[in-house]
Amino acid sequence: MNQDGLLSLHELECIKASCSSKLWRSHLRASNNLFALQGIMLGLSPEHTSSNTNIDNSNAKQLIVLGRFASRGQGPSTQFIVDLFGS
């Protein structure tokens, strides 16, 4: 939003609803079954440097997205289907 190339907590709050609505359309396909996303957590990734002893994730280059699917171990033919960047 402020064009600095980083994501602040304030910017994350402003885009959280938009990101979440796109993520809710994600599915996991295993065999012939589709499993819907059951939960989403969004957070900012702290900078990963050896000199970073004070974890300050108020401005981040990356967004961490965690989601949960209850697929019950369907096997190696599992696909993650998401359209964050278009179909």
Side-chain angles (χ1 to χ4, degrees):
M1 294 170 68
N2 64 8
Q3 307 299 316
D4 69 352
L6 300 172
L7 188 61
S8 69
L9 289 172
H10 172 73
E11 291 168 322
L12 176 59
E13 286 300 317
C14 292
I15 64 165
K16 187 182 281 187
S18 174
C19 286
S20 293
S21 70
K22 292 176 182 171
L23 288 166
W24 281 115
R25 296 191 302 249
S26 303
H27 288 84
L28 195 67
R29 178 181 292 157
S31 302
N32 290 325
N33 300 313
L34 277 180
F35 299 93
L37 187 60
Q38 295 182 343
I40 298 173
M41 290 179 15
L42 300 174
L44 300 179
S45 175
E47 185 176 344
H48 300 287
T49 63
S50 59
S51 63
N52 186 12
T53 56
N54 181 18
I55 302 296
D56 178 11
N57 64 355
S58 60
N59 290 296
K61 293 180 181 179
Q62 297 175 344
L63 177 65
I64 297 172
V65 179
L66 299 173
R68 180 179 186 277
F69 296 93
S71 68
R72 309 231 186 252
Q74 296 293 315
S77 63
T78 303
Q79 290 180 302
F80 179 59
I81 303 164
V82 64
D83 67 348
L84 283 177
F85 307 106
S87 52

